[in-house]
Amino acid sequence: MRADGHAPGRPTPDGRDATELLRRCARETVEVAEGIRGVSARTSAALFAPPLTASARSRPRTGLPARWALLRALTNKRGLGSALVAPKGMGHVLGTAGEVLGRESLAALVAVTSLRLRIAAVLADHPEFARDPGMRRLTEAVTADRDVESVRALRALLRDQGAQRALSGLAPLMAELIALRALLDEDPKNHETGWALAAGRTLTAGPLHGISAAHLSGMDKGEGAAEAVDLSEQEKQVIATEGSFLGFLRNIEALSTGGRILVQNVRGPDGVVRYVVQAPGTAPGRPRNDSPQDFAGAWRNLFMTDSPYTRAILMALADHGIPRGAELALIGHSEGGIAVLNLAQDEEFCRAHKVTHVVAVGSPVGNRKPADPRTWVAGITNQHDMVPALDGSRAGSAFDPHPHRYEVDYPGPTHEFPLCHMLREYIEHLRTVIPDARAHVDEALTPYRGPVVRTQAYQLKDRAHPPEGYPFLTLPTHCVATAAGPVDVPVRYYDSSAVHLCFRVDADKARGLLPEVTWMTPSRLGRRALAVLSLYEHRCSTIGPYAEAALSVLVDDLWRPRPYDIAADLLRRVDLRRTGRYVVSLAVTTDEARAVAQEIWGQPALRVRAQADLMDRQISFGSADLGLTVEGRLGPGVRCPEADWILYGRRGESTVRTLVRAHGKLRLHPAAGVRLRLHTAAAEPLAGQLRRLGMVTARPLFVLNCPQFMVHRSAGAVLPR
């Protein structure tokens, strides 16, 4: 059933509506055009048939005149016009040449007559078009195939009325004007699109330049993915708790175009739980790789039933746990309406579930037929909305391929595009302009009018994303109990920054900070040792975000110390290294980090307050509790290998060896612009150790900086020393 929202045209003497009479004439005329086109195709096939070609060669006196007569019928203006139709060979060349030279076929001219009748029907519904001189000038120029005049008329329309108003005014005529342009221009690639629009068939190519839908939809790639997500508290306040048509539309408006859909379980009046899928439309802007709700996805959905959007909806429904045989209603706006209609065409899905209703608002529903013929389909469009006009078969067109659908095409008071396409305008119009349509859809959705017992949002994606930190941080873990609670080790850091200030210090003073055992000695660089003040900003880790400051001293092999062993050790894999850094003092900003450092890694940690900003060239680290400030600007640097290292700690009478693996872009910088300052005279561990090593007054030898990296620290291995 059609429910055109426009006022009826002038009645004819026999009581019939003039608009419907014009559309009926247009349908009959295009059927004649299709018949003539079929004759042209059969005549072309006869002209280039192998038997006739062989006859012309063997009996030229009779064969050649026969071929000449067929050729004249296909090319003469008094015959079929330029109507050569051949997929390849000389016939294809001749047919294309005729089209490029502007020779129209009789079939195309008859189809153009049908389109002119359709335009007349639109003008009968919209007399304001005939009164508008700019619109009248454009229509006449396109109808007469005057390209230059058409461009000038369109420019004048855009200049005088503005782009939004002009495009909205053209929306009711958009399909007819595009079809006329495609049939009359000299580009043969457009003709199939023009015929599809004129005859009311499903489009297989774009409306401009006949670009194949497969090529355009190639921008929308991916297997589709869906992830259950929580709604914000503000969204929860506006999500409908009772099933109704406007309630479902308001839910879609609340979701906006951020790539989410909503699935609600509704207990109907009969006590049966049914499911409602609510799908928003296209997100504005360029094609996105993180969501199927973009321009490329909308284009693919318009021409193809399979897309990342529909596949992602299927995955969301599978995750939702909808039982086999359950009843579903699919409701969508814009691209969401196309996607749910495509989903209703999936025979396998419809065998598993019963799709009872599909409602598309502001969508080009086209000739899509649900796999289940019992599915009730409704389409609601504003005549000034350009989006439903893309397929050329909106409710107000000359064709009614689905007379049993409920379709409303109304002249809404909002004319400007894209405002007239926005869902909030459709909701307001359903409430005030076309309340009968709202009541009719609500009546059809009676089984879904009841309390909502479950609401779940799903984030749709073009493709599934790997786990965070993949593959570096995807490794086996086990749980270790600590005073702050259970902790999974290795501890994984997904987003961190680090700055290492490396100082040459007195070897004896460095030895004085190490445990009182004879077999642990500092690594020497000449006569001096190397101490490192490491500053960390851990923004995301498995033990939470925190800042860290660690003072460590490089030490030799615990069993067989050798001179300059640290230089040879850098060439070994990190798990085979014998040297490492002994942590003499550690300050962290959370209790969880302090417990892990003390109980798992054997490091002498204390909790302090600190602020770190280490992501840029301008670095800063400050702690009032430590009285420590490190700040400055890093100069040019050079790339270094990955900064894997070994850390040593102490637990009772044993040494704890911790393997640390990092993945990031480490750079070595000169230390000219970085300064370390102590603002306290206290002798607490870190401040006192920095003074004893002379690091407060000395300039760092160099600085290692990694503004963003991932790292994992293993559980400490206890050594028998």
Side-chain angles (χ1 to χ4, degrees), residues 93-127:
V93 173
L94 292 174
T96 302
E99 293 172 352
V100 171
L101 294 174
R103 298 280 302 275
E104 286 84 14
S105 67
L106 177 61
L109 293 175
V110 175
V112 166
T113 302
S114 170
L115 291 169
R116 287 172 176 161
L117 289 169
R118 286 169 56 174
I119 291 175
V122 174
L123 294 178
D125 285 336
H126 298 272

PDB file of all heavy atoms in Angstrom, residues 93-127:
ATOM      1  N   VAL A  93      32.158  -1.327 -31.533  1.00  0.00           N
ATOM      2  CA  VAL A  93      32.867  -0.096 -31.928  1.00  0.00           C
ATOM      3  C   VAL A  93      31.907   0.861 -32.619  1.00  0.00           C
ATOM      4  O   VAL A  93      31.857   2.065 -32.331  1.00  0.00           O
ATOM      5  CB  VAL A  93      34.073  -0.434 -32.821  1.00  0.00           C
ATOM      6  CG1 VAL A  93      34.701   0.841 -33.376  1.00  0.00           C
ATOM      7  CG2 VAL A  93      35.095  -1.247 -32.040  1.00  0.00           C
ATOM      8  N   LEU A  94      31.119   0.351 -33.565  1.00  0.00           N
ATOM      9  CA  LEU A  94      30.190   1.209 -34.296  1.00  0.00           C
ATOM     10  C   LEU A  94      29.110   1.770 -33.379  1.00  0.00           C
ATOM     11  O   LEU A  94      28.725   2.938 -33.484  1.00  0.00           O
ATOM     12  CB  LEU A  94      29.554   0.416 -35.441  1.00  0.00           C
ATOM     13  CG  LEU A  94      30.501   0.006 -36.587  1.00  0.00           C
ATOM     14  CD1 LEU A  94      29.774  -0.883 -37.576  1.00  0.00           C
ATOM     15  CD2 LEU A  94      31.074   1.232 -37.284  1.00  0.00           C
ATOM     16  N   GLY A  95      28.576   0.941 -32.475  1.00  0.00           N
ATOM     17  CA  GLY A  95      27.552   1.417 -31.553  1.00  0.00           C
ATOM     18  C   GLY A  95      28.081   2.495 -30.618  1.00  0.00           C
ATOM     19  O   GLY A  95      27.428   3.518 -30.390  1.00  0.00           O
ATOM     20  N   THR A  96      29.291   2.290 -30.092  1.00  0.00           N
ATOM     21  CA  THR A  96      29.894   3.290 -29.210  1.00  0.00           C
ATOM     22  C   THR A  96      30.176   4.581 -29.956  1.00  0.00           C
ATOM     23  O   THR A  96      29.966   5.682 -29.440  1.00  0.00           O
ATOM     24  CB  THR A  96      31.184   2.729 -28.595  1.00  0.00           C
ATOM     25  OG1 THR A  96      30.886   1.521 -27.885  1.00  0.00           O
ATOM     26  CG2 THR A  96      31.812   3.730 -27.652  1.00  0.00           C
ATOM     27  N   ALA A  97      30.648   4.451 -31.190  1.00  0.00           N
ATOM     28  CA  ALA A  97      30.934   5.642 -31.992  1.00  0.00           C
ATOM     29  C   ALA A  97      29.674   6.463 -32.224  1.00  0.00           C
ATOM     30  O   ALA A  97      29.689   7.698 -32.149  1.00  0.00           O
ATOM     31  CB  ALA A  97      31.559   5.230 -33.325  1.00  0.00           C
ATOM     32  N   GLY A  98      28.559   5.798 -32.506  1.00  0.00           N
ATOM     33  CA  GLY A  98      27.311   6.522 -32.703  1.00  0.00           C
ATOM     34  C   GLY A  98      26.886   7.269 -31.455  1.00  0.00           C
ATOM     35  O   GLY A  98      26.415   8.415 -31.522  1.00  0.00           O
ATOM     36  N   GLU A  99      27.053   6.658 -30.279  1.00  0.00           N
ATOM     37  CA  GLU A  99      26.677   7.315 -29.037  1.00  0.00           C
ATOM     38  C   GLU A  99      27.579   8.499 -28.744  1.00  0.00           C
ATOM     39  O   GLU A  99      27.116   9.561 -28.311  1.00  0.00           O
ATOM     40  CB  GLU A  99      26.725   6.301 -27.884  1.00  0.00           C
ATOM     41  CG  GLU A  99      25.666   5.206 -28.004  1.00  0.00           C
ATOM     42  CD  GLU A  99      25.851   4.118 -26.967  1.00  0.00           C
ATOM     43  OE1 GLU A  99      26.888   4.159 -26.269  1.00  0.00           O
ATOM     44  OE2 GLU A  99      24.991   3.247 -26.846  1.00  0.00           O
ATOM     45  N   VAL A 100      28.899   8.327 -29.000  1.00  0.00           N
ATOM     46  CA  VAL A 100      29.840   9.427 -28.761  1.00  0.00           C
ATOM     47  C   VAL A 100      29.532  10.608 -29.664  1.00  0.00           C
ATOM     48  O   VAL A 100      29.678  11.778 -29.286  1.00  0.00           O
ATOM     49  CB  VAL A 100      31.293   8.928 -28.946  1.00  0.00           C
ATOM     50  CG1 VAL A 100      32.272  10.092 -28.919  1.00  0.00           C
ATOM     51  CG2 VAL A 100      31.644   7.914 -27.863  1.00  0.00           C
ATOM     52  N   LEU A 101      29.085  10.318 -30.896  1.00  0.00           N
ATOM     53  CA  LEU A 101      28.751  11.387 -31.845  1.00  0.00           C
ATOM     54  C   LEU A 101      27.384  12.005 -31.581  1.00  0.00           C
ATOM     55  O   LEU A 101      26.951  12.902 -32.318  1.00  0.00           O
ATOM     56  CB  LEU A 101      28.806  10.839 -33.275  1.00  0.00           C
ATOM     57  CG  LEU A 101      30.202  10.420 -33.766  1.00  0.00           C
ATOM     58  CD1 LEU A 101      30.109   9.762 -35.130  1.00  0.00           C
ATOM     59  CD2 LEU A 101      31.144  11.625 -33.808  1.00  0.00           C
ATOM     60  N   GLY A 102      26.676  11.525 -30.551  1.00  0.00           N
ATOM     61  CA  GLY A 102      25.404  12.136 -30.187  1.00  0.00           C
ATOM     62  C   GLY A 102      24.204  11.586 -30.906  1.00  0.00           C
ATOM     63  O   GLY A 102      23.147  12.224 -30.933  1.00  0.00           O
ATOM     64  N   ARG A 103      24.297  10.408 -31.484  1.00  0.00           N
ATOM     65  CA  ARG A 103      23.170   9.804 -32.212  1.00  0.00           C
ATOM     66  C   ARG A 103      22.370   8.955 -31.221  1.00  0.00           C
ATOM     67  O   ARG A 103      22.846   7.916 -30.760  1.00  0.00           O
ATOM     68  CB  ARG A 103      23.697   8.930 -33.354  1.00  0.00           C
ATOM     69  CG  ARG A 103      24.492   9.678 -34.412  1.00  0.00           C
ATOM     70  CD  ARG A 103      23.562  10.387 -35.383  1.00  0.00           C
ATOM     71  NE  ARG A 103      22.651   9.446 -36.021  1.00  0.00           N
ATOM     72  CZ  ARG A 103      22.972   8.732 -37.114  1.00  0.00           C
ATOM     73  NH1 ARG A 103      24.155   8.878 -37.670  1.00  0.00           N
ATOM     74  NH2 ARG A 103      22.088   7.910 -37.642  1.00  0.00           N
ATOM     75  N   GLU A 104      21.152   9.415 -30.886  1.00  0.00           N
ATOM     76  CA  GLU A 104      20.327   8.657 -29.948  1.00  0.00           C
ATOM     77  C   GLU A 104      19.529   7.590 -30.682  1.00  0.00           C
ATOM     78  O   GLU A 104      19.129   7.761 -31.837  1.00  0.00           O
ATOM     79  CB  GLU A 104      19.355   9.580 -29.195  1.00  0.00           C
ATOM     80  CG  GLU A 104      20.004  10.440 -28.131  1.00  0.00           C
ATOM     81  CD  GLU A 104      20.596  11.706 -28.715  1.00  0.00           C
ATOM     82  OE1 GLU A 104      20.271  12.028 -29.876  1.00  0.00           O
ATOM     83  OE2 GLU A 104      21.393  12.358 -28.029  1.00  0.00           O
ATOM     84  N   SER A 105      19.264   6.497 -29.984  1.00  0.00           N
ATOM     85  CA  SER A 105      18.432   5.437 -30.540  1.00  0.00           C
ATOM     86  C   SER A 105      16.961   5.775 -30.337  1.00  0.00           C
ATOM     87  O   SER A 105      16.595   6.608 -29.485  1.00  0.00           O
ATOM     88  CB  SER A 105      18.756   4.107 -29.863  1.00  0.00           C
ATOM     89  OG  SER A 105      18.372   4.138 -28.503  1.00  0.00           O
ATOM     90  N   LEU A 106      16.113   5.137 -31.125  1.00  0.00           N
ATOM     91  CA  LEU A 106      14.670   5.338 -30.975  1.00  0.00           C
ATOM     92  C   LEU A 106      14.211   4.911 -29.585  1.00  0.00           C
ATOM     93  O   LEU A 106      13.364   5.564 -28.971  1.00  0.00           O
ATOM     94  CB  LEU A 106      13.923   4.549 -32.055  1.00  0.00           C
ATOM     95  CG  LEU A 106      12.391   4.598 -31.993  1.00  0.00           C
ATOM     96  CD1 LEU A 106      11.893   6.027 -32.157  1.00  0.00           C
ATOM     97  CD2 LEU A 106      11.791   3.676 -33.047  1.00  0.00           C
ATOM     98  N   ALA A 107      14.771   3.819 -29.089  1.00  0.00           N
ATOM     99  CA  ALA A 107      14.389   3.345 -27.757  1.00  0.00           C
ATOM    100  C   ALA A 107      14.715   4.391 -26.697  1.00  0.00           C
ATOM    101  O   ALA A 107      13.913   4.655 -25.785  1.00  0.00           O
ATOM    102  CB  ALA A 107      15.101   2.030 -27.453  1.00  0.00           C
ATOM    103  N   ALA A 108      15.908   5.009 -26.798  1.00  0.00           N
ATOM    104  CA  ALA A 108      16.294   6.025 -25.821  1.00  0.00           C
ATOM    105  C   ALA A 108      15.378   7.237 -25.900  1.00  0.00           C
ATOM    106  O   ALA A 108      14.993   7.816 -24.870  1.00  0.00           O
ATOM    107  CB  ALA A 108      17.745   6.438 -26.034  1.00  0.00           C
ATOM    108  N   LEU A 109      15.009   7.638 -27.103  1.00  0.00           N
ATOM    109  CA  LEU A 109      14.129   8.795 -27.252  1.00  0.00           C
ATOM    110  C   LEU A 109      12.742   8.522 -26.674  1.00  0.00           C
ATOM    111  O   LEU A 109      12.127   9.403 -26.065  1.00  0.00           O
ATOM    112  CB  LEU A 109      14.027   9.184 -28.730  1.00  0.00           C
ATOM    113  CG  LEU A 109      15.319   9.734 -29.364  1.00  0.00           C
ATOM    114  CD1 LEU A 109      15.122   9.957 -30.852  1.00  0.00           C
ATOM    115  CD2 LEU A 109      15.759  11.013 -28.676  1.00  0.00           C
ATOM    116  N   VAL A 110      12.241   7.310 -26.856  1.00  0.00           N
ATOM    117  CA  VAL A 110      10.952   6.962 -26.259  1.00  0.00           C
ATOM    118  C   VAL A 110      11.068   6.941 -24.731  1.00  0.00           C
ATOM    119  O   VAL A 110      10.161   7.387 -24.016  1.00  0.00           O
ATOM    120  CB  VAL A 110      10.448   5.618 -26.804  1.00  0.00           C
ATOM    121  CG1 VAL A 110       9.164   5.195 -26.101  1.00  0.00           C
ATOM    122  CG2 VAL A 110      10.218   5.701 -28.312  1.00  0.00           C
ATOM    123  N   ALA A 111      12.209   6.428 -24.215  1.00  0.00           N
ATOM    124  CA  ALA A 111      12.421   6.435 -22.767  1.00  0.00           C
ATOM    125  C   ALA A 111      12.491   7.858 -22.236  1.00  0.00           C
ATOM    126  O   ALA A 111      12.003   8.150 -21.134  1.00  0.00           O
ATOM    127  CB  ALA A 111      13.702   5.672 -22.423  1.00  0.00           C
ATOM    128  N   VAL A 112      13.101   8.772 -23.010  1.00  0.00           N
ATOM    129  CA  VAL A 112      13.155  10.175 -22.613  1.00  0.00           C
ATOM    130  C   VAL A 112      11.746  10.751 -22.540  1.00  0.00           C
ATOM    131  O   VAL A 112      11.419  11.538 -21.641  1.00  0.00           O
ATOM    132  CB  VAL A 112      14.041  10.972 -23.596  1.00  0.00           C
ATOM    133  CG1 VAL A 112      13.849  12.470 -23.407  1.00  0.00           C
ATOM    134  CG2 VAL A 112      15.498  10.600 -23.404  1.00  0.00           C
ATOM    135  N   THR A 113      10.875  10.359 -23.471  1.00  0.00           N
ATOM    136  CA  THR A 113       9.474  10.802 -23.411  1.00  0.00           C
ATOM    137  C   THR A 113       8.822  10.339 -22.121  1.00  0.00           C
ATOM    138  O   THR A 113       8.059  11.085 -21.484  1.00  0.00           O
ATOM    139  CB  THR A 113       8.702  10.256 -24.623  1.00  0.00           C
ATOM    140  OG1 THR A 113       9.325  10.708 -25.828  1.00  0.00           O
ATOM    141  CG2 THR A 113       7.255  10.713 -24.602  1.00  0.00           C
ATOM    142  N   SER A 114       9.100   9.119 -21.714  1.00  0.00           N
ATOM    143  CA  SER A 114       8.563   8.614 -20.451  1.00  0.00           C
ATOM    144  C   SER A 114       9.063   9.454 -19.276  1.00  0.00           C
ATOM    145  O   SER A 114       8.295   9.790 -18.367  1.00  0.00           O
ATOM    146  CB  SER A 114       8.959   7.152 -20.259  1.00  0.00           C
ATOM    147  OG  SER A 114       8.642   6.705 -18.956  1.00  0.00           O
ATOM    148  N   LEU A 115      10.340   9.811 -19.310  1.00  0.00           N
ATOM    149  CA  LEU A 115      10.892  10.616 -18.227  1.00  0.00           C
ATOM    150  C   LEU A 115      10.275  12.009 -18.207  1.00  0.00           C
ATOM    151  O   LEU A 115      10.056  12.589 -17.138  1.00  0.00           O
ATOM    152  CB  LEU A 115      12.415  10.706 -18.365  1.00  0.00           C
ATOM    153  CG  LEU A 115      13.174   9.400 -18.111  1.00  0.00           C
ATOM    154  CD1 LEU A 115      14.621   9.526 -18.541  1.00  0.00           C
ATOM    155  CD2 LEU A 115      13.113   9.025 -16.631  1.00  0.00           C
ATOM    156  N   ARG A 116       9.981  12.569 -19.384  1.00  0.00           N
ATOM    157  CA  ARG A 116       9.326  13.872 -19.429  1.00  0.00           C
ATOM    158  C   ARG A 116       7.922  13.800 -18.832  1.00  0.00           C
ATOM    159  O   ARG A 116       7.463  14.736 -18.162  1.00  0.00           O
ATOM    160  CB  ARG A 116       9.278  14.367 -20.871  1.00  0.00           C
ATOM    161  CG  ARG A 116      10.640  14.815 -21.393  1.00  0.00           C
ATOM    162  CD  ARG A 116      10.598  15.126 -22.871  1.00  0.00           C
ATOM    163  NE  ARG A 116      11.879  15.636 -23.328  1.00  0.00           N
ATOM    164  CZ  ARG A 116      12.280  15.665 -24.598  1.00  0.00           C
ATOM    165  NH1 ARG A 116      11.453  15.197 -25.546  1.00  0.00           N
ATOM    166  NH2 ARG A 116      13.445  16.162 -24.916  1.00  0.00           N
ATOM    167  N   LEU A 117       7.239  12.698 -19.062  1.00  0.00           N
ATOM    168  CA  LEU A 117       5.929  12.512 -18.434  1.00  0.00           C
ATOM    169  C   LEU A 117       6.063  12.423 -16.914  1.00  0.00           C
ATOM    170  O   LEU A 117       5.224  12.951 -16.175  1.00  0.00           O
ATOM    171  CB  LEU A 117       5.264  11.249 -18.988  1.00  0.00           C
ATOM    172  CG  LEU A 117       4.772  11.320 -20.437  1.00  0.00           C
ATOM    173  CD1 LEU A 117       4.388   9.928 -20.929  1.00  0.00           C
ATOM    174  CD2 LEU A 117       3.575  12.266 -20.546  1.00  0.00           C
ATOM    175  N   ARG A 118       7.112  11.759 -16.445  1.00  0.00           N
ATOM    176  CA  ARG A 118       7.349  11.681 -15.005  1.00  0.00           C
ATOM    177  C   ARG A 118       7.638  13.057 -14.424  1.00  0.00           C
ATOM    178  O   ARG A 118       7.181  13.399 -13.319  1.00  0.00           O
ATOM    179  CB  ARG A 118       8.498  10.718 -14.712  1.00  0.00           C
ATOM    180  CG  ARG A 118       8.113   9.258 -14.888  1.00  0.00           C
ATOM    181  CD  ARG A 118       9.302   8.326 -14.870  1.00  0.00           C
ATOM    182  NE  ARG A 118      10.118   8.448 -13.674  1.00  0.00           N
ATOM    183  CZ  ARG A 118      11.156   7.646 -13.403  1.00  0.00           C
ATOM    184  NH1 ARG A 118      11.465   6.669 -14.264  1.00  0.00           N
ATOM    185  NH2 ARG A 118      11.861   7.812 -12.307  1.00  0.00           N
ATOM    186  N   ILE A 119       8.423  13.867 -15.154  1.00  0.00           N
ATOM    187  CA  ILE A 119       8.695  15.229 -14.696  1.00  0.00           C
ATOM    188  C   ILE A 119       7.397  16.033 -14.634  1.00  0.00           C
ATOM    189  O   ILE A 119       7.165  16.801 -13.696  1.00  0.00           O
ATOM    190  CB  ILE A 119       9.729  15.902 -15.619  1.00  0.00           C
ATOM    191  CG1 ILE A 119      11.109  15.242 -15.433  1.00  0.00           C
ATOM    192  CG2 ILE A 119       9.815  17.395 -15.349  1.00  0.00           C
ATOM    193  CD1 ILE A 119      12.170  15.741 -16.377  1.00  0.00           C
ATOM    194  N   ALA A 120       6.546  15.849 -15.642  1.00  0.00           N
ATOM    195  CA  ALA A 120       5.258  16.545 -15.630  1.00  0.00           C
ATOM    196  C   ALA A 120       4.432  16.135 -14.418  1.00  0.00           C
ATOM    197  O   ALA A 120       3.733  16.960 -13.810  1.00  0.00           O
ATOM    198  CB  ALA A 120       4.499  16.252 -16.923  1.00  0.00           C
ATOM    199  N   ALA A 121       4.511  14.858 -14.026  1.00  0.00           N
ATOM    200  CA  ALA A 121       3.777  14.399 -12.847  1.00  0.00           C
ATOM    201  C   ALA A 121       4.325  15.046 -11.580  1.00  0.00           C
ATOM    202  O   ALA A 121       3.560  15.444 -10.686  1.00  0.00           O
ATOM    203  CB  ALA A 121       3.862  12.878 -12.748  1.00  0.00           C
ATOM    204  N   VAL A 122       5.649  15.155 -11.498  1.00  0.00           N
ATOM    205  CA  VAL A 122       6.247  15.812 -10.334  1.00  0.00           C
ATOM    206  C   VAL A 122       5.838  17.280 -10.283  1.00  0.00           C
ATOM    207  O   VAL A 122       5.529  17.826  -9.222  1.00  0.00           O
ATOM    208  CB  VAL A 122       7.778  15.665 -10.360  1.00  0.00           C
ATOM    209  CG1 VAL A 122       8.409  16.462  -9.227  1.00  0.00           C
ATOM    210  CG2 VAL A 122       8.181  14.202 -10.249  1.00  0.00           C
ATOM    211  N   LEU A 123       5.840  17.951 -11.451  1.00  0.00           N
ATOM    212  CA  LEU A 123       5.450  19.361 -11.489  1.00  0.00           C
ATOM    213  C   LEU A 123       3.986  19.537 -11.111  1.00  0.00           C
ATOM    214  O   LEU A 123       3.603  20.564 -10.547  1.00  0.00           O
ATOM    215  CB  LEU A 123       5.711  19.937 -12.881  1.00  0.00           C
ATOM    216  CG  LEU A 123       7.190  20.029 -13.300  1.00  0.00           C
ATOM    217  CD1 LEU A 123       7.300  20.574 -14.714  1.00  0.00           C
ATOM    218  CD2 LEU A 123       7.970  20.895 -12.334  1.00  0.00           C
ATOM    219  N   ALA A 124       3.146  18.532 -11.424  1.00  0.00           N
ATOM    220  CA  ALA A 124       1.745  18.608 -11.004  1.00  0.00           C
ATOM    221  C   ALA A 124       1.633  18.557  -9.486  1.00  0.00           C
ATOM    222  O   ALA A 124       0.762  19.206  -8.890  1.00  0.00           O
ATOM    223  CB  ALA A 124       0.952  17.473 -11.642  1.00  0.00           C
ATOM    224  N   ASP A 125       2.504  17.770  -8.846  1.00  0.00           N
ATOM    225  CA  ASP A 125       2.516  17.711  -7.388  1.00  0.00           C
ATOM    226  C   ASP A 125       3.183  18.928  -6.777  1.00  0.00           C
ATOM    227  O   ASP A 125       2.877  19.313  -5.646  1.00  0.00           O
ATOM    228  CB  ASP A 125       3.251  16.449  -6.919  1.00  0.00           C
ATOM    229  CG  ASP A 125       2.407  15.203  -7.107  1.00  0.00           C
ATOM    230  OD1 ASP A 125       1.176  15.347  -7.152  1.00  0.00           O
ATOM    231  OD2 ASP A 125       2.980  14.112  -7.229  1.00  0.00           O
ATOM    232  N   HIS A 126       4.158  19.512  -7.508  1.00  0.00           N
ATOM    233  CA  HIS A 126       4.941  20.636  -6.998  1.00  0.00           C
ATOM    234  C   HIS A 126       4.845  21.798  -7.976  1.00  0.00           C
ATOM    235  O   HIS A 126       5.779  22.070  -8.744  1.00  0.00           O
ATOM    236  CB  HIS A 126       6.408  20.226  -6.809  1.00  0.00           C
ATOM    237  CG  HIS A 126       6.606  19.134  -5.808  1.00  0.00           C
ATOM    238  ND1 HIS A 126       6.778  19.378  -4.461  1.00  0.00           N
ATOM    239  CD2 HIS A 126       6.643  17.780  -5.949  1.00  0.00           C
ATOM    240  CE1 HIS A 126       6.916  18.229  -3.820  1.00  0.00           C
ATOM    241  NE2 HIS A 126       6.842  17.247  -4.693  1.00  0.00           N
ATOM    242  N   PRO A 127       3.731  22.500  -7.993  1.00  0.00           N
ATOM    243  CA  PRO A 127       3.596  23.625  -8.928  1.00  0.00           C
ATOM    244  C   PRO A 127       4.607  24.727  -8.676  1.00  0.00           C
ATOM    245  O   PRO A 127       4.859  25.542  -9.559  1.00  0.00           O
ATOM    246  CB  PRO A 127       2.158  24.106  -8.693  1.00  0.00           C
ATOM    247  CG  PRO A 127       1.786  23.593  -7.340  1.00  0.00           C
ATOM    248  CD  PRO A 127       2.525  22.301  -7.172  1.00  0.00           C
TER     249      PRO A 127
END
